[in-house]
Amino acid sequence: MRSFMGRDILSLKGWERAEFFHLFDVAEDLEPIARKRQNSDLLAGKTLLTAFYQPSTRTRLSHEAAMHRLGGHVLGFSDAKMTRAGDFYQESIKDTVHMLEYYADAIAMRHFQQGAPAEAAKWSSVPVINCGDGWGEHPTQILTDLYTLHRELGTIDGLTILAVGDHRMRTMHTLGYAMSQFASELILIGPPDMSPTPEFLAELDELNVAYRVEEDVRDCIHEADVIYMEPVVQADYTAGRIEAHDGSGRTPDAYKVTRELLKTKARRDSIILHSLPRMDELPPDVDSTRHARYWEEAFYGVVMKMGMLALILGAAE
Ligand code: CP
């Protein structure tokens, strides 16, 4: 297995099965620290820089929370408009990263341009973590989701995972790549204009991922062990920032998971993951059903990132 120390986390394409489980083992060892709401000193003396060119609630703050839980330091920006990359100068990724690499021991970056974290990694002598790049990938979200399955279901194999929503989404891409390492099946459902592209499906074929494409969640939910959701009323992920949703657009029933649908058609032991934020595809009254696991995901996201940061910064082997 390749060492994690100093490794960029840009994509889950190419990750081996043993690497997922090694990360999850390290995360699970560290989990009691977060469970007890304590901080440790495992990464004392190390600093994480969060460079977020797009809005985020979960991804940025869970990286920062993980670093604090391990006694490390955090600095960064959450609004590129307040940096030289977002004003008159439009400073390039290369010039920006040549600065940032001296300010920290790892850089967690979200960007509206697909490939921007990979470009940053070319110029950085410290590891770069892709926290979402345009419509590209979102590796730390899917690692969070898989760690949640590992902890909640005890397995990532033998599952039928219904992935419903916008298949242009970066999470959907990373989920597909990751599934090449697990003996589970994907059922992909989304509106025609948000369907997986033929190029992406060809990649899944090449990676020997078991999947099929369906049209309506109501026809397939009874098969699902895991219902993985993304909105279809969606922001443009190639934009730096979209102001408030204008209220137009409602999610068609074919891509919605309601309390009634769960009661009448879903398996009793199925669970729902959602990377959040949500729109109307997942009504709030689902939150109190036994299927909901998206709040647990918030906790597991911190724990997984504790493991990941400990590994790439050399505090765990
Ligand atoms: N899941 C996710 O990426 O959420 P944020 O946009 O709030 O980081």
Side-chain angles (χ1 to χ4, degrees):
M1 190 172 58
R2 295 172 297 171
S3 169
F4 276 95
M5 190 170 164
R7 197 199 289 191
D8 300 312
I9 308 291
L10 299 174
S11 167
L12 296 187
K13 209 187 310 189
W15 270 50
E16 293 169 8
R17 183 176 168 89
E19 295 174 318
F20 287 94
F21 287 114
H22 183 56
L23 167 56
F24 297 160
D25 284 347
V26 172
E28 205 168 332
D29 284 346
L30 297 172
E31 195 172 305
I33 299 168
R35 186 77 67 189
K36 290 184 209 148
R37 297 182 180 275
Q38 292 173 336
N39 292 344
S40 68
D41 59 3
L42 195 65
L43 287 181
K46 296 289 184 187
T47 302
L48 174 72
L49 190 145
T50 52
F52 272 57
Y53 293 76
Q54 258 186 337
S56 167
T57 298
R58 284 145 284 272
T59 312
R60 181 173 66 83
L61 294 174
S62 59
H63 276 85
E64 296 189 1
M67 201 63 189
H68 285 297
R69 287 279 180 236
L70 297 179
H73 305 273
V74 173
L75 78 168
F77 59 86
S78 56
D79 183 353
K81 281 201 191 109
M82 300 311 292
T83 74
R84 295 307 196 183
D87 78 346
F88 174 85
Y89 297 95
Q90 296 289 298
E91 194 165 27
S92 68
I93 293 279
K94 177 182 175 184
D95 287 6
T96 304
V97 168
H98 270 318
M99 303 297 113
L100 303 186
E101 67 165 338
Y102 297 114
Y103 304 161
D105 304 296
I107 299 169
M109 175 182 282
R110 169 170 287 188
H111 205 288
F112 49 87
Q113 283 172 2
Q114 187 168 340
E119 168 73 6
K122 280 202 294 198
W123 306 111
S124 173
S125 59
V126 300
V128 174
I129 303 165
N130 178 3
C131 292
D133 61 326
W135 293 117
E137 280 211 55
H138 198 346
T140 64
Q141 177 61 49
I142 296 302
L143 289 169
T144 296
D145 300 325
L146 298 184
Y147 184 63
T148 304
L149 296 184
H150 176 67
R151 297 292 287 121
E152 290 287 314
L153 302 180
T155 185
I156 311 171
D157 292 305
L159 303 174
T160 297
I161 301 174
L162 187 60
V164 54
D166 183 349
H167 286 270
R168 299 171 303 170
M169 266 303 280
R170 47 203 184 193
T171 45
M172 296 295 197
H173 300 147
T174 307
L175 175 66
Y177 298 141
M179 277 303 122
S180 70
Q181 301 302 305
F182 302 98
S184 289
E185 185 192 0
L186 291 174
I187 303 176
L188 310 176
I189 295 178
D193 58 336
M194 299 178 183
S195 301
T197 63
E199 294 77 16
F200 177 64
L201 294 181
E203 280 191 277
L204 296 189
D205 290 334
E206 182 65 26
L207 293 167
N208 198 18
V209 175
Y211 73 89
R212 67 178 208 267
V213 179
E214 296 285 357
E215 291 179 357
D216 193 320
V217 71
R218 292 167 294 185
D219 296 335
C220 306
I221 198 165
H222 64 279
E223 295 181 59
D225 301 291
V226 179
I227 302 155
Y228 187 80
M229 301 193 67
E230 284 288 350
V232 299
V233 177
Q234 186 73 288
D236 177 358
Y237 276 76
T238 62
R241 181 183 177 83
I242 306 281
E243 293 304 330
H245 177 58
D246 64 7
S248 66
R250 283 171 42 84
T251 302
D253 288 346
Y255 317 115
K256 238 174 147 163
V257 174
T258 62
R259 204 179 165 102
E260 181 63 18
L261 184 64
L262 289 164
K263 187 172 149 195
T264 54
K265 292 202 168 167
R267 285 181 44 168
R268 294 182 65 76
D269 58 354
S270 59
I271 67 169
I272 302 171
L273 301 183
H274 194 310
S275 69
L276 301 172
R278 65 178 151 187
M279 298 298 284
D280 65 335
E281 72 284 355
L282 183 63
D285 66 0
V286 173
D287 297 1
S288 57
T289 69
R290 65 176 167 276
H291 302 278
R293 291 294 192 289
Y294 28 94
W295 308 129
E296 283 78 2
E297 270 183 277
F299 171 72
Y300 290 128
V302 176
V303 175
M304 187 287 294
K305 282 156 197 143
M306 289 166 69
M308 180 185 72
L309 290 166
L311 281 164
I312 68 173
L313 292 172
E317 281 188 8

